[in-house]
């Protein structure tokens, strides 16, 4: 597994950040304490496995940025030539987690997720071929863990730690479960032994129960015969007694029939009285209509005359309206004619008065004593000339005014002629109106006449119908009296039959009481029979259970033997865990020495021993002792320089990582070293860098988290993590070898 891209949103100190690992091979991961370097490793394991340094699957909320309600991490990685994508999200508000898994398919992504988070997590771990424990043990070397198998543990502690890393604590849990199963089986075998004793007692009563059962069966057959004989007798009495409800119903039906006959007779008499009354009322109605029917001819003649007179009145109304309209027009034209004449006369009088004034001015023309030369400039002569010219114009206008004709006169005369042609007389009009009112006093009786005609016909038909009903009612009287006599006869017959049932009821009650007593005795015998049959069944069943219990007890003892063997197999001494360690240690030793060959040129080597002589002579202890060889000679670990110890520590850690990855069948292309690297002084820096480069040859990507400037400069690539107001950010600066990420 080789990560190529990491996207974080609201995760730990990261708000919204993307980390590109595609060009990383060997880089220093640098930044101040608390900037977020280790959070990048948490983001990787949290996304892939749902776990990290802040807790596992039950502490997912610990990773969401403080103050935010949801977060998400996406990881893209390459594995066996394919590219995968994992997206894990967490919502605090909904208390819900999401997990999606994809594989790249061309330009898109094909989903690999299961139906549930657990199913999707299982697919991811099956694809990686490792879980969180294997991944962190193989790909990550966290602070304080590089020398976990050298300086910080005893030989016994070191073997215990190796067992935990190899997952051998599973065998401890299996051993505890096996022991618990043995304890459980022992308790069950003891309980079976007690049950066996109880079943032996129950199965021994079988013969005694069978004898009692035969006696009860004989008594039950005899009692059953008595019950059946008496039940047949009771059945016959009950058949007769069951006639009582029918006779009572017949008695009640006869009584109701008598009541209905009486009511029907009374209803018939009432109906005849009502029919005769209605006939009399109809005859009175016919008599009341005869008064208006006597004036029928008069009313119909008035109706015909009303229409003719109404047409005359309508014509007079139309003429009166037209006469009024013409009178209004004539009056208006008279006003307009007079106004026009007055205006014309006023204008003529004005012109005549002006002419008289101008004639006085014009008369001075011949009286002015001016010479011919002075006349041209004389103002009096000039005014006289203008007056003469204006007089001529006014005379022409006066001629025009006198020639004009009043434009309203012709219309006025035409309106007068039209009004005369109407020949309308108001007296004639009023006489026609009075005649119409007189004739309507009679014609208005026409609806009353029509109603009287219809009512008379209806009343005659009603009299005919009522007469027929009356005849029918009179004919029904004999039928009703016959029904009444028949109902009385049925009533008497039912009453006599009920009286005859009284002795039968008394005998039936006595027989039923006797039958109830016999049936109770029979039921008691059946109860005894059932109890004995159940006891016999239990005894028979107890015998069968006893046989099955013996077989079950034997099988449990065999199963208990299996779990006792499993308990021994899970033991740390001589069990499977010891065999796993014995088989793993040589491979880890080989891998560590391969790394030391690359780091130290073959000068350093390690030897791993799993047993050592105990304090008591002849005893051996289970240990994991590390012996460092320098040129083939043993030398105490503490006597080596810091860089040499670091190479030994790192070689053992890388060996463990490779062994775990190989054992899981996984491909690990990532190695992270989160160490203070305090051993890296100026003298040993080259040796430490040689060790890191050797690790880089085993893994595709190597990340070293360090604060030491010399080591940062010695690594070819750098990833810088800074923290600001917007959260942690990741930068990829240009380094002196020209590597750009």
């Amino acid at each position: 597994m080789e990560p190529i891209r990491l996207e974080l949103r609201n995760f730990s100190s990261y708000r919204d950040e993307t980390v590109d690992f595609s060009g990383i091979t060997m880089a220093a991961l640098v930044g101040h304490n608390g900037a977020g370097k280790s959070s990048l490793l948490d983001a990787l394991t949290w996304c892939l496995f749902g776990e990290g340094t802040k807790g596992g699957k039950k502490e997912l909320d610990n990773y969401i940025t403080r103050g935010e309600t949801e977060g998400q991490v996406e990881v893209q990685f390459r594995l066996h030539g394919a590219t995968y994508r994992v997206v894990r999200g967490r919502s605090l508000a909904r208390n819900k987690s999401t997990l999606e898994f994809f594989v790249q398919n061309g330009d898109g992504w094909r989903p690999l997720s299961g139906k549930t988070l657990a199913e999707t997590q299982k697919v991811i771990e099956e694809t990686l071929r490792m879980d969180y424990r294997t991944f962190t043990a193989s790909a990550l070397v966290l602070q304080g863990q590089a020398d976990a198998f050298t300086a910080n543990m005893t030989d016994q502690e070191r073997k215990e730690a190796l067992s935990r890393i190899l997952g051998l604590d599973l065998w401890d849990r299996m051993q505890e479960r096996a022991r618990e199963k043995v304890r459980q089986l022992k308790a069950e075998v003891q309980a079976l032994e007690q049950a066996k004793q109880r079943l032996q007692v129950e199965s021994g009563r079988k013969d005694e129960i069978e004898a009692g059962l035969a006696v009860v069966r004989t008594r039950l057959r005899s009692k059953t015969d008595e019950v059946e004989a008496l039940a047949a007798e009771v059945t016959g009495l009950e058949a007769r007694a069951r006639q009582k409800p029918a006779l009572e119903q017949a008695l009640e039906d006869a009584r109701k029939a008598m009541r209905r006959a009486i009511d029907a007779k009374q209803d018939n008499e009432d109906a005849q009285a009502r029919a005769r009354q209605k006939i009399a009322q109809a005859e009175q109605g016919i008599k009341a209509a005869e008064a208006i029917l006597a004036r029928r001819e008069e009313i119909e003649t008035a109706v015909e005359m009303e229409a003719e007179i109404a047409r005359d009145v309508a014509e007079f109304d139309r003429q009166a309206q037209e006469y009024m309209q013409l009178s209004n027009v004539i009056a208006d034209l008279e006003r307009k004619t007079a106004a026009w004449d007055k205006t014309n006369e006023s204008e003529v009088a004005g012109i005549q008065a002006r002419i008289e004034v101008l004639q006085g001015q014009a008369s001075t023309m011949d009286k002015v004593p001016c010479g011919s030369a002075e006349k041209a400039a004389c103002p009096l002569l000039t005014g006289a000339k203008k007056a003469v010219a204006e007089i001529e114009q006014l005379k022409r206008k006066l001629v025009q005014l006198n020639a004009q004709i009043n434009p309203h006169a012709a219309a006025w005369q035409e309106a007068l002629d039209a009004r005369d042609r109407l020949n309308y007389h108001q007296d004639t009009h009023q006489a026609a109106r009075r005649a119409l009112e007189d004739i309507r006093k009679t014609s208005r009786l026409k609806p009353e006449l029509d109603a009287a005609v219809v009512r008379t016909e209806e009343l005659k038909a009603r009299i005919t119908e009522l007469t027929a009903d009356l005849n029918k009612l009179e004919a029904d009287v004999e039928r009703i009296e016959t029904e009444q006599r028949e109902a009385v006869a049925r009533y008497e017959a039912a009453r006599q039959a009920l009286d005859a049932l009284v002795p039968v009821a008394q005998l039936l009650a006595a027989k039923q009481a006797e039958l109830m007593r016999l049936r109770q005795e029979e039921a008691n015998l059946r109860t005894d029979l059932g109890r004995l049959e159940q006891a016999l069944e239990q005894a028979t069943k107890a015998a069968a259970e006893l046989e099955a219990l013996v077989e079950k007890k034997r099988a449990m003892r065999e199963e208990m033997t299996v779990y006792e063997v499993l308990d021994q197999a899970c033991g740390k001494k001589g069990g499977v865990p010891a065999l796993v360690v014995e088989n793993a240690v040589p491979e880890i030793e080989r891998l560590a020495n391969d790394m030391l060959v690359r780091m130290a040129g073959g000068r350093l080597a390690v030897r791993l021993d799993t047993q050592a002589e105990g304090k008591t002579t002849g005893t051996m202890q289970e240990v994991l002792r590390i012996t460092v060889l320098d040129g083939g000679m043993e030398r105490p670990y503490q006597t080596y320089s810091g860089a040499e110890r670091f190479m030994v520590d790192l070689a053992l850690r890388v060996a463990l990582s490779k062994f775990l990855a190989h054992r899981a069948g996984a491909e690990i292309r990532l190695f992270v070293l989160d160490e203070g690297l305090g051993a890296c002084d100026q003298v040993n820096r080259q040796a430490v860098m040689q060790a890191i480069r050797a690790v880089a040859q085993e893994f595709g990507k190597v990340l070293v988290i360090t604060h030491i400037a010399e080591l940062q400069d010695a690594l070819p690539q750098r990833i810088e993590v800074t923290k600001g107001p917007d959260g942690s950010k990741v930068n990829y600066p240009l380094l002196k070898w020209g590597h750009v990420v």
Side-chain angles (χ1 to χ4, degrees):
M1 192 278 290
E2 182 178 355
I4 55 178
R5 186 178 181 87
L6 180 64
E7 296 184 7
L8 306 92
R9 184 170 65 82
N10 296 333
F11 183 88
S12 190
S13 59
Y14 291 88
R15 296 284 184 181
D16 191 357
E17 188 68 9
T18 299
V19 184
D20 188 353
F21 292 111
S22 59
I24 294 293
T25 56
M26 186 168 58
L29 182 58
V30 302
H32 295 295
N33 289 334
K37 303 186 297 298
S38 297
S39 294
L40 291 178
L41 305 182
D42 272 340
L44 181 63
T45 60
W46 186 82
C47 183
L48 292 175
F49 305 103
E51 300 186 51
T53 60
K54 295 181 181 180
K57 296 178 175 60
K58 296 182 179 180
E59 292 84 20
L60 293 177
D61 296 350
N62 296 341
Y63 300 91
I64 307 305
T65 302
R66 185 174 299 176
E68 300 295 336
T69 60
E70 59 182 11
Q72 179 178 293
V73 177
E74 176 180 330
V75 173
Q76 294 183 22
F77 62 87
R78 282 192 293 266
L79 180 65
H80 300 305
T83 301
Y84 298 87
R85 180 162 67 103
V86 180
V87 183
R88 188 184 297 271
R90 177 65 179 168
S91 172
L92 303 183
R94 296 181 295 165
N95 190 27
K96 183 179 180 181
S97 299
T98 57
L99 180 62
E100 297 177 281
F101 187 34
F102 306 90
V103 63
Q104 194 170 38
N105 185 9
D107 295 333
W109 296 94
R110 179 169 59 85
L112 301 175
S113 305
K115 295 180 180 179
T116 64
L117 264 71
E119 291 180 3
T120 304
Q121 186 64 54
K122 183 179 180 182
V123 174
I124 293 172
E125 293 179 4
E126 288 176 350
T127 302
L128 293 172
R129 301 183 67 83
M130 68 179 83
D131 56 10
Y132 172 75
R133 185 171 186 172
T134 304
F135 179 78
T136 53
S138 59
L140 306 180
V141 180
L142 303 180
Q143 291 187 13
Q145 293 185 5
D147 57 354
F149 295 96
T150 52
N152 297 332
M153 290 185 181
T154 66
D155 293 345
Q156 289 80 9
E157 291 173 343
R158 190 176 297 112
K159 189 165 186 179
E160 292 291 334
L162 179 61
S163 296
R164 289 194 299 272
I165 292 175
L166 293 176
L168 299 182
D169 52 348
L170 171 65
W171 292 91
D172 293 337
R173 294 192 296 273
M174 288 176 61
Q175 185 180 42
E176 180 57 33
R177 291 181 182 177
R179 289 177 177 176
E180 177 62 29
K181 189 66 176 178
V182 169
R183 289 192 291 269
Q184 177 185 343
L185 288 172
K186 285 182 178 179
E188 291 180 2
V189 168
Q190 185 177 0
L192 288 177
E193 182 62 31
Q194 296 174 355
K196 176 182 176 183
Q197 297 174 4
R198 177 181 58 80
L199 291 173
Q200 287 174 340
V201 173
E202 290 182 1
S203 61
R205 297 180 59 243
K206 184 176 179 182
D207 294 340
E208 177 186 351
I209 295 171
E210 287 178 342
L213 192 60
V215 173
V216 171
R217 284 173 176 165
T218 301
R219 292 177 60 193
L220 179 60
R221 282 195 296 271
S222 175
K223 188 64 64 176
T224 301
D225 292 341
E226 290 183 47
V227 168
E228 290 177 353
L230 184 57
E233 186 178 355
V234 169
T235 300
L237 292 172
E238 286 177 343
R240 294 187 61 188
R242 281 195 294 272
Q243 296 176 359
K244 183 179 180 181
L247 292 173
E248 289 176 342
Q249 184 63 44
L251 184 67
E252 179 63 18
D253 292 343
R255 187 188 62 79
K256 291 180 179 179
M258 290 166 57
R259 183 71 264 175
R260 286 196 299 272
I262 293 171
D263 293 341
K265 186 174 182 180
Q266 184 62 47
D267 291 342
N268 183 280
E269 292 174 354
D270 294 341
Q272 288 187 45
R274 288 193 297 273
R276 292 188 180 94
Q277 183 180 3
K278 290 178 180 179
I279 291 173
Q281 291 174 349
E283 291 173 345
Q284 290 295 326
I286 293 173
K287 291 180 180 180
E290 290 177 350
I292 189 67
L293 291 173
R295 299 182 61 189
R296 182 170 186 172
E297 184 177 355
E298 176 189 358
I299 293 170
E300 291 176 349
T301 301
V303 170
E304 294 176 358
M305 293 179 63
E306 179 188 4
E308 183 178 352
I309 297 172
R311 286 193 295 272
D312 294 340
V313 170
E315 178 60 24
F316 280 126
D317 289 341
R318 185 193 64 76
Q319 290 178 354
Q321 184 177 5
E322 187 176 354
Y323 185 86
M324 181 62 70
Q325 291 174 349
L326 289 172
S327 296
N328 292 335
V329 171
I330 290 169
D332 183 58
L333 290 173
E334 284 178 349
R335 288 192 299 272
K336 290 180 179 179
T337 300
W340 189 90
D341 289 341
K342 185 177 181 181
T343 301
N344 187 270
E345 290 173 359
S346 176
E347 190 174 356
V348 169
I351 292 173
Q352 289 175 345
R354 178 61 178 166
I355 290 173
E356 289 179 2
V357 174
L358 291 175
Q359 284 177 345
Q361 293 178 2
S363 64
T364 61
M365 186 179 296
D366 296 329
K367 298 178 181 181
V368 176
C370 297
S372 56
E374 297 173 343
K375 288 182 179 179
C378 181
L380 292 175
L381 289 175
T382 300
K385 290 179 180 178
K386 290 182 179 180
V388 171
E390 186 177 354
I391 288 170
E392 292 300 325
Q393 292 177 355
L394 291 173
K395 286 182 177 180
R396 287 194 297 273
K397 187 173 182 180
L398 187 61
V399 171
Q400 292 175 354
L401 289 173
N402 289 329
Q404 286 182 350
I405 299 174
N406 192 322
H408 304 291
W412 174 66
Q413 186 60 47
E414 184 178 349
L416 285 173
D417 295 342
R419 188 174 66 179
D420 292 341
R421 286 195 298 272
L422 281 175
N423 194 22
Y424 170 73
H425 300 285
Q426 188 174 6
D427 295 340
T428 306
H429 187 182
Q430 293 299 327
R433 283 182 179 274
R434 287 192 295 272
L436 181 61
E437 292 175 359
D438 292 340
I439 201 67
R440 279 180 174 170
K441 292 178 182 178
T442 303
S443 65
R444 287 193 185 99
L445 298 175
K446 183 64 166 63
E448 186 178 349
L449 174 64
D450 294 339
V453 173
V454 173
R455 180 62 177 164
T456 299
E457 296 298 326
E458 291 176 349
L459 290 173
K460 289 179 180 180
R462 181 60 174 160
I463 289 172
T464 302
E465 180 182 352
L466 289 170
T467 301
D469 292 342
L470 185 60
N471 294 334
K472 184 175 181 300
L473 289 170
E474 291 174 348
D476 284 345
V477 171
E478 183 178 354
R479 177 185 59 78
I480 293 172
E481 290 176 348
T482 301
E483 291 177 355
Q484 184 178 10
R485 288 191 296 272
E486 292 175 352
V488 171
R490 289 197 304 273
Y491 181 85
E492 288 300 325
R495 186 180 60 78
Q496 292 174 4
L498 280 172
D499 291 342
L501 286 178
V502 173
V504 174
Q506 295 173 350
L507 179 60
L508 175 62
K511 293 294 184 179
Q512 285 176 334
E514 178 65 15
L515 179 61
M516 183 179 298
R517 182 183 64 78
L518 290 177
R519 281 178 173 170
Q520 182 61 47
E521 292 176 358
E522 181 188 25
N524 293 336
L525 288 172
R526 290 188 183 279
T527 300
D528 293 341
L529 179 65
R531 178 177 54 78
L532 290 173
E533 287 177 343
Q534 184 177 7
L536 179 61
E537 182 180 356
Q538 289 176 347
T540 304
K541 184 178 179 182
E545 287 181 357
L546 180 61
E547 183 178 354
L549 186 145
V550 171
E551 177 62 23
K552 184 177 181 181
K553 182 178 176 182
R554 184 192 62 76
M556 280 188 176
R557 288 191 178 279
E558 292 180 355
E559 185 180 3
M560 187 166 59
T561 301
V562 172
Y563 279 103
E564 288 173 345
V565 172
L566 180 60
D567 178 14
Q568 297 175 359
C570 294
K572 294 180 180 179
K573 293 183 179 181
V576 175
L579 294 176
V580 172
V581 172
E582 290 294 331
N583 291 327
V585 166
E587 179 64 13
I588 295 172
E589 180 182 297
R590 184 188 66 78
L591 293 172
N593 287 327
D594 287 347
M595 287 296 300
L596 285 173
V597 168
R598 299 181 188 181
M599 294 180 184
R603 182 175 62 85
L604 298 177
V606 294
R607 186 179 71 240
L608 304 180
D609 298 318
T610 58
Q611 289 187 341
E613 187 174 350
K615 294 181 179 180
T616 304
T617 305
T619 61
M620 301 298 292
Q621 291 182 341
E622 297 294 328
V623 297
L624 179 59
R625 178 172 295 173
I626 301 174
T627 303
V628 182
L629 304 175
D630 186 352
M633 301 295 293
E634 294 184 8
R635 178 181 167 186
Y637 171 80
Q638 290 77 10
T639 64
Y640 287 94
S641 66
E644 290 172 323
R645 287 199 303 271
F646 176 77
M647 284 189 288
V648 172
D649 296 338
L650 189 59
L652 285 170
R653 193 62 182 83
V654 171
L656 281 170
S657 300
K658 294 180 64 178
F659 176 79
L660 290 174
H662 176 72
R663 196 177 73 147
E667 177 185 305
I668 301 295
R669 300 286 297 162
L670 173 68
F671 188 82
V672 179
L673 180 61
D674 186 2
E675 281 292 317
L677 299 178
C680 295
D681 54 20
Q682 186 67 28
V683 176
N684 297 322
R685 188 186 67 177
Q686 291 300 326
V688 171
M689 283 306 306
Q690 182 179 356
I692 294 175
R693 289 192 181 96
V695 172
Q697 295 176 10
E698 299 293 330
F699 299 91
K701 297 185 186 298
V702 174
L703 296 178
V704 180
I705 301 176
T706 180
H707 294 281
I708 300 174
E710 292 84 357
L711 285 179
Q712 294 176 10
D713 294 338
L715 293 170
Q717 296 169 315
R718 180 182 301 181
I719 301 175
E720 290 184 352
V721 180
T722 59
K723 189 174 183 181
D726 296 332
S728 298
K729 297 292 182 182
V730 177
N731 300 306
Y732 315 91
L734 181 68
L735 300 182
K736 60 184 178 181
W737 284 284
H739 296 278
V740 181
V741 181

